[in-house]
Amino acid sequence: DGGITQSPKYLFRKEGQNVTLSCEQNLNHDAMYWYRQDPGQGLRLIYYSQIVNDFQKGDIAEGYSVSREKKESFPLTVTSAQKNPTAFYLCATQAAGTDYYEQYFGPGTRLTVT
Amino acid sequence: QKEVEQNSGPLSVPEGAIASLNCTYSDRGSQSFFWYRQYSGKSPELIMSIYSNGDKEDGRFTAQLNKASQYVSLLIRDSQPSDSATYLCAPSASGGSYIPTFGRGTSLIVHP
């Protein structure tokens, strides 16, 4: 069963703690992306990766970090430096690093920091 | 800065009517255009893609593209309450940036 999995679905943390969100895919897609979505808002790009061991900052990378050690996995760490981390986090993949392909989204992780 | 403009809505239509969702974009280099549906609390789901000028039909959905006007639309015929969602327009990237630009979405409400 091909797809993108994100875990956990809901995550609660205290302020000042780092937290890592998981994203795994078995679609054999090269590119992976992390977006943040706030209520009533659009998607904002945090980080993206076109190939293993390489990743680039998106529009709102401050306070976040990623790694891409395997093609299948692209975890996102929300650090204590992120001032307002409560949001819906979406992982997406794209078949190849080209301009023509659509993106596919995982089910998302809803993070609440208090 | 690449821009994608969508009317945020909400667009309210009665059940059985045609819902028309519109999108304009600034990047003339975009070659592919995608429509995603996002139910409240869920992740976006790809529902239509269009690459050439003109119309593309898939069931109750029709995508229309006019590259000269930098305009893409989505028509939903025989709208159902289950179509109530936010619809995101996403022209593809261009020039090797590999990052599509998503509109903020139009909220559609189909009332019985």
Side-chain angles (χ1 to χ4, degrees), chain A residues 90-105:
Chain A
L90 290 160
C91 177
T93 69
Q94 188 168 309
T98 75
D99 295 337
Y100 295 93
Y101 292 102
E102 64 277 12
Q103 291 195 343
Y104 293 91
F105 288 85

Side-chain angles (χ1 to χ4, degrees), chain B residues 59-101:
Chain B
R60 295 186 296 111
F61 298 96
T62 298
Q64 299 175 318
L65 174 61
N66 184 326
K67 290 184 181 179
S69 300
Q70 296 176 249
Y71 174 86
V72 58
S73 67
L74 180 69
L75 300 178
I76 305 175
R77 291 183 300 281
D78 188 24
S79 295
Q80 301 297 309
S82 59
D83 295 325
S84 299
T86 296
Y87 291 81
L88 306 176
C89 170
S92 68
S94 67
S97 76
Y98 311 146
I99 304 170
T101 302

Side-chain angles (χ1 to χ4, degrees), chain A residues 35-39 41-44 87-90, chain B residues 38 42:
Chain A
Y35 293 93
R36 168 181 173 144
Q37 189 174 41
D38 294 283
Q41 302 298 310
L43 301 174
R44 291 189 289 170
F88 188 40
Y89 290 87
L90 290 160
Chain B
Q38 185 175 21
K42 302 295 186 183

Side-chain angles (χ1 to χ4, degrees), chain A residues 41-53:
Chain A
Q41 302 298 310
L43 301 174
R44 291 189 289 170
L45 182 65
I46 305 172
Y47 268 98
Y48 64 102
S49 169
Q50 299 295 317
I51 56 173
V52 174
N53 292 323

